């Protein structure tokens, strides 16, 4: 055992010694700090010279290699490394000399179109310094490359640090034209289009006096233009602008420079009545004394009619029959400033089966916060009063609405938006889901004046989980800033009174009664009822189903063993079972705090109706029962039967 442990200890010591011996092997230490003095914009096919002389001050574009202070003297004379260009770029150093250019402490020789060999020369550092410094001009030609260009340093066992360094970016054409944003404009006194940016793709593309011409399409003309010269075009020796109808002319002469130039143009446009709606595209040409630099088109605006853009951030599913159904954010924005007229109302109108009981509104600083009248919470629209018109900034209104939806409705809730000078527009802002979806396999045939007539089972399913309530509410929340009512009809300060029992009801068409209490079961989901307390009420015309627990999964109820008795007053036609109760439809008048009045958000509708049977044949009036009674005889006959 001791022998084995000794062998393990010896092996561990050997491994430790080997690890110590090879520390740093294979890991190159950074002996130099490398970089490019600037990143040029360049054009495919052009030749760029970073320098010609032997003094570092002669070089405009170069790769710098500076010996690290901690490794002074580590870059040895005679060591060789390579600088390599990417594909599509080639060196333009002279090939007829072995040592084409001599620099501080190095010489450069082109060995192939993309590879240049650098030899470190004298180990003497420049006067006044303790470290070697090499300045290598980047003389190159772009030959098919695109995008960002990086030069690579291959150390080849020298002390130079390897790496890649971005030195240029290739741009198509001699000049680029862009617009900051395509602005929407209309026929008004001031129309500011998007700002045009004209930028040289490379230094000194513009050489000498330059002329820039911007021309608008027919039926548009320049009112004025703001022109700014930036970068290498700043402080020109001459500068002027001229506006002549559709044409803007700019002339300038840049000074000698070492930076690309940029021109910014912000046009202000007048629009003729004959102008066509759509994109406003300008033609742009740029020329200098010797060359055409740019010729192209650019969309700077969109001419639109007065109007508004509307959108909804989330088309939510809202449950019918319930209060406090909140929409997503509805945004109403002017297409151009000054569309909505001061002192006018912008109307948002919903279907008649929807009532608006509350709202949240925000506006941008182009408008004052508007006043909105909800009425008594019984209207399907709101009027947004525009207190002032916007000026140069487009007005934006953001709305969130609180709705109450009639209990037997479903489908898209579409908003119509109109008024205040805006053309009418519409969009779907929400989808209504019925609180219960009822069905029956087949409507049975039943007869007038007959008792205990069976019909098929009735099933109904929650429209969404949790919408059948154990503790239903019976009122809309009062809006901020005031109550719906000026009386004291509510018994306490809570505007949503949870004093209605959580009951589902099944009611019959007048003239029909339940002959017995049906069987009620939950066949799917986790909704719970108090089955033992299911009972007939209202003279057997209604069955009550008490709610025991709400669902977390949409549930289904089956009502079976349904037997009906019809009196002679019921007409032929459809016999309906009406599914309701405060547990399903909270916003009916019958479920409210004041059953004799319509309150905020309430409807007369209290049920979802299902045709459960067909009354097809009344009792035969020609058939009569004949009874015979004989005095002193205890037996009597009905239709001849003792």
């Amino acid at each position: 055992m001791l022998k084995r442990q000794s062998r393990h200890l010896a092996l561990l010591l050997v491994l430790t010694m080997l690890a110590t011996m090879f520390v740093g092997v294979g890991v190159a230490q950074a002996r130099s700090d490398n970089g490019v003095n600037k990143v040029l914009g360049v054009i495919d096919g052009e030749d760029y010279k970073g320098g010609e002389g032997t003094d570092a001050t002669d070089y405009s574009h170069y790769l710098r290699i500076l010996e690290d202070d901690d490794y002074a003297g580590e870059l040895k004379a005679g060591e060789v490394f390579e600088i390599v260009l990417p594909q599509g770029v080639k060196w333009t150093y002279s090939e007829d000399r072995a040592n084409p250019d001599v620099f501080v402490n190095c010489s450069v020789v082109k060995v192939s179109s993309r590879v240049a060999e650098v030899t470190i020369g004298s180990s003497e550092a420049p006067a006044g310094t303790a470290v070697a410094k090499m300045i290598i001009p980047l003389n190159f030609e772009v030959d098919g490359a695109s995008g960002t260009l990086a030069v690579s340093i291959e150390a080849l066992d020298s002390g130079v640090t390897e790496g890649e360094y971005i030195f240029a970016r290739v741009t198509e054409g001699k000049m680029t034209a862009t617009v900051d944003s395509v602005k929407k404009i209309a026929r008004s006194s001031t129309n500011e289009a998007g700002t045009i940016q004209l930028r040289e793709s490379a230094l000194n593309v513009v050489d000498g006096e330059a002329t820039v011409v911007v021309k608008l399409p027919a039926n548009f003309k320049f009112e004025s233009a703001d022109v700014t010269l930036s970068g290498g075009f700043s402080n020109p020796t001459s500068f002027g602008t001229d506006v002549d109808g559709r044409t803007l002319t700019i002339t300038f002469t840049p000074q000698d420079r070492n930076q690309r130039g940029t021109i910014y143009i912000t046009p202000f446009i007048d629009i003729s009545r004959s102008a066509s709606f759509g994109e406003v595209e300008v033609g742009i040409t740029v020329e200098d004394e010797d060359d055409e630099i740019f010729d192209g088109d650019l969309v700077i605006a969109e001419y639109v009619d007065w109007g508004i853009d509307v959108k909804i951030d989330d088309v939510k599913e809202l449950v019918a029959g319930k209060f406090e159904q909140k929409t997503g954010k509805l945004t109403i924005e002017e297409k151009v400033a000054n569309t909505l007229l001061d002192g006018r109302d912008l109307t948002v109108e919903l279907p008649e089966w929807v009532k608006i009981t509350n709202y949240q509104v925000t506006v941008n600083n182009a408008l004052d916060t508007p006043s909105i009248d909800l009425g008594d919470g019984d209207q399907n629209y709101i009027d947004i009063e525009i207190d002032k018109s916007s000026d140069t900034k487009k007005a934006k209104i953001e709305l969130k609405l609180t709705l109450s939806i009639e209990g037997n409705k479903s489908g898209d809730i579409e908003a119509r938006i109109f008024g205040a000078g805006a053309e009418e527009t519409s969009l779907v802002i929400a989808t209504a889901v019925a609180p219960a979806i009822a069905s029956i396999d087949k409507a049975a045939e039943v007869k007038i004046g007959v008792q205990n007539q069976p019909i098929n089972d009735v099933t109904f399913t929650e429209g969404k989980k949790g919408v059948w309530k154990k503790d239903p509410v019976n009122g809309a929340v009062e809006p901020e800033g005031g109550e719906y009512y000026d009386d004291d009809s509510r018994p306490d300060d809570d505007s949503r009174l949870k004093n209605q029992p959580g009951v589902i009801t099944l009611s019959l068409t007048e003239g029909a009664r339940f002959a017995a209490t049906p069987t009620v079961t939950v066949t799917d989901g986790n909704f719970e009822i108090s089955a033992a307390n299911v009972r007939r009420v209202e003279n057997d015309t209604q069955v009550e189903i008490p709610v025991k627990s709400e669902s977390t999964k949409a549930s289904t109820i089956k009502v079976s063993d349904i037997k009906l008795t019809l009196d002679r007053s019921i007409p032929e036609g459809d016999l309906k079972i009406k599914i309701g109760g405060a547990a399903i439809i909270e916003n009916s008048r019958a479920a409210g705090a004041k059953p004799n009045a319509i309150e905020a958000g309430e409807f007369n509708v209290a049920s979802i109706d299902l045709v459960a049977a067909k009354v097809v044949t009344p009792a035969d009036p020609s058939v009569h029962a004949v009874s015979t009674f004989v005095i002193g005889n205890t037996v009597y006959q009905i239709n001849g039967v003792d």
Side-chain angles (χ1 to χ4, degrees):
M1 183 70 177
L2 291 174
K3 185 175 181 181
R4 180 178 297 176
Q5 289 180 341
S6 298
R7 288 178 178 176
H8 288 168
L9 181 60
L11 179 59
L12 179 61
L13 290 172
V14 170
L15 291 174
T16 303
M17 292 174 61
L18 289 172
T20 304
M21 291 172 59
F22 289 102
V23 169
V25 174
V27 180
Q29 298 296 309
R31 295 291 195 262
S32 63
D33 178 16
N34 310 327
V36 175
N37 68 322
K38 58 186 174 182
V39 178
L40 288 185
V42 298
I43 302 170
D44 190 12
E46 297 289 326
D47 187 1
Y48 296 89
K49 291 189 179 297
E52 293 294 337
T54 58
D55 187 339
T57 59
D58 294 337
Y59 309 141
S60 62
H61 189 211
Y62 56 81
L63 173 66
R64 182 209 68 244
I65 299 175
L66 179 65
E67 193 172 43
D68 191 283
D69 289 338
D70 293 337
Y71 299 99
E74 292 288 327
L75 298 184
K76 305 297 184 182
E79 287 185 343
V80 175
F81 61 93
E82 292 178 345
I83 50 176
V84 182
L85 292 175
Q87 293 285 351
V89 186
K90 59 185 180 182
W91 293 117
T92 56
Y93 297 129
S94 172
E95 295 183 284
D96 58 3
R97 290 188 295 166
N99 189 4
D101 293 291
V102 178
F103 316 96
V104 177
N105 290 322
C106 71
S107 64
V108 181
V109 177
K110 183 176 74 171
V111 295
S112 71
S113 63
R114 293 174 47 227
V115 180
E117 185 179 82
V118 182
T119 303
I120 301 174
S122 169
S123 60
E124 295 179 2
T129 69
V131 293
K133 180 179 181 181
M134 290 171 273
I135 299 295
I136 304 170
L138 296 173
N139 295 353
F140 64 94
E141 179 183 343
V142 183
D143 186 17
S146 61
T148 300
L149 308 181
V151 61
S152 301
I153 296 178
E154 302 288 348
L156 301 182
D157 299 325
S158 71
V160 175
T161 302
E162 292 188 341
E164 290 189 348
Y165 307 93
I166 295 172
F167 67 96
R169 290 187 177 90
V170 180
T171 306
E172 291 186 9
K174 297 179 179 180
M175 180 170 278
T176 60
T178 58
V179 65
D180 64 342
S181 65
V182 178
K183 295 186 177 180
K184 292 181 179 180
I185 59 175
R187 291 194 67 246
S188 61
S189 58
T190 302
N191 278 301
E192 180 181 338
T195 297
I196 302 166
Q197 180 194 79
L198 300 173
R199 175 169 290 166
E200 287 183 301
S201 297
L203 180 63
N204 292 323
V205 164
V206 175
D207 186 14
E209 184 179 23
T211 301
V212 179
V213 177
V214 182
K215 190 166 186 178
L216 287 165
N219 299 312
F220 296 85
K221 66 179 183 179
F222 286 100
E223 179 185 277
S224 62
D226 292 340
V227 181
T228 302
L229 303 183
S230 178
F233 292 158
S234 300
N235 302 314
T237 58
S238 65
F239 172 68
T241 62
D242 178 67
V243 170
D244 183 11
R246 295 167 53 194
T247 304
L248 167 67
T249 303
I250 305 165
T251 57
F252 69 99
T253 304
Q255 298 189 34
D256 291 340
R257 55 208 168 93
N258 57 10
Q259 188 177 359
R260 287 179 288 161
T262 304
I263 308 168
Y264 294 100
I265 307 167
T266 302
F268 296 88
I269 301 172
D270 284 336
I271 305 171
S272 164
R273 290 183 178 274
S274 302
S276 299
F277 294 120
E279 293 180 342
V280 179
E281 186 177 64
V282 295
I284 303 172
T285 60
V286 183
E287 298 178 347
D288 63 14
E289 296 172 344
D290 303 317
D291 196 10
E292 180 181 85
I293 297 168
F294 182 85
D295 185 359
D297 302 314
L298 185 66
V299 175
I300 62 169
E302 182 183 2
Y303 175 38
V304 298
D305 199 0
W306 298 103
I308 53 176
D309 288 323
V310 296
K311 64 181 180 180
I312 186 80
D313 68 339
D314 184 13
V315 180
K316 294 183 177 181
E317 282 191 345
L318 308 182
V319 182
K322 308 292 180 181
F323 296 107
E324 302 303 303
Q325 300 297 297
K326 299 181 185 296
T327 70
K329 182 172 66 179
L330 172 64
T331 301
I332 305 168
E333 186 173 13
E334 292 177 317
K335 291 182 178 179
V336 290
N338 201 32
T339 293
L340 299 177
L341 301 179
D342 181 15
R344 302 277 291 275
D345 287 345
L346 180 68
T347 299
V348 179
E349 183 181 86
L350 304 182
E352 291 184 352
W353 42 273
V354 178
K355 293 182 179 180
I356 302 172
T357 60
N358 214 332
Y359 67 90
Q360 292 178 338
V361 62
T362 58
V363 296
N364 66 356
N365 58 14
L367 291 176
D368 292 334
T369 300
S371 60
I372 298 177
D373 182 11
L374 284 172
D376 289 334
D378 60 353
Q379 59 195 31
N380 65 323
Y381 66 90
I382 56 172
D383 290 330
I384 305 169
E385 184 178 345
I386 305 301
D387 292 332
K388 74 168 187 177
S389 296
S390 59
D391 187 8
T392 58
K393 183 176 182 179
K394 295 183 293 184
K396 184 194 299 188
I397 302 169
E398 294 177 339
L399 274 174
K400 290 184 179 181
L401 302 177
T402 302
L403 309 180
S404 179
I405 305 165
E406 191 173 307
N408 62 352
K409 298 295 185 183
S410 62
D412 290 342
I413 300 174
E414 185 175 69
R416 292 174 58 237
I417 298 125
F418 57 90
E423 183 179 352
E424 180 178 321
T425 186
S426 62
L427 81 163
V428 173
I429 64 168
T431 301
V433 177
I437 303 164
S439 64
I440 190 169
D441 286 342
K442 182 180 180 181
E445 294 184 351
V446 292
K447 297 180 180 180
I448 292 173
V450 180
Q451 300 180 11
N452 294 318
Q453 299 180 77
I455 66 172
N456 289 319
D457 297 346
V458 171
T459 61
F460 50 99
T461 302
E462 280 185 295
K464 293 178 71 173
K465 66 180 181 180
V467 301
W468 297 344
K469 298 297 184 182
K470 180 182 178 183
D471 296 308
V473 301
N474 67 352
V477 169
E478 295 166 353
E480 292 184 11
E483 299 180 351
Y484 287 121
Y485 307 103
D486 56 7
D487 59 33
D488 57 354
S489 59
R490 298 193 185 280
D492 57 39
D493 292 335
D494 185 2
S495 62
R496 294 193 300 174
L497 307 179
K498 298 185 177 181
N499 60 1
Q500 295 294 312
V503 172
I504 298 172
T505 61
L506 307 177
S507 304
L508 292 174
T509 301
E510 186 176 355
R513 291 179 292 112
F514 288 99
T517 302
T519 301
V520 182
T521 55
V522 177
T523 59
D524 191 22
N526 55 6
F527 181 73
E528 292 185 67
I529 62 171
S530 179
N533 293 311
V534 174
R535 61 175 183 159
R536 288 176 288 166
V537 296
E538 301 293 332
N539 196 25
D540 296 340
T541 62
Q542 188 176 92
V543 171
E544 282 189 352
I545 307 168
V547 176
K548 187 176 180 180
S549 177
E550 296 168 6
S551 72
T552 58
K553 176 184 178 182
S555 301
T556 299
I557 288 177
K558 181 173 78 170
V559 184
S560 55
D561 302 324
I562 306 172
K563 294 179 181 179
L564 307 180
T565 293
L566 279 60
D567 64 26
R568 293 184 179 278
S569 67
I570 192 168
E572 293 183 63
D574 293 341
L575 188 154
K576 296 177 181 177
I577 289 182
K578 302 178 179 182
I579 302 166
I584 290 183
I585 298 181
E586 298 173 329
N587 63 4
S588 71
R589 180 180 64 179
K594 296 171 65 177
N596 296 323
I598 291 287
E599 299 182 277
E602 288 185 350
F603 296 87
N604 280 317
V605 172
S607 65
I608 297 165
D609 297 350
L610 174 69
V611 175
K614 296 282 187 180
V615 180
V616 293
T617 307
D620 188 349
S622 65
V623 177
H624 300 281
V626 178
S627 301
T628 304
F629 298 89
V630 178
I631 296 174
N633 191 344
T634 58
V635 177
Y636 65 94
Q637 292 182 334
I638 297 178
N639 291 336
V641 178
D642 289 340

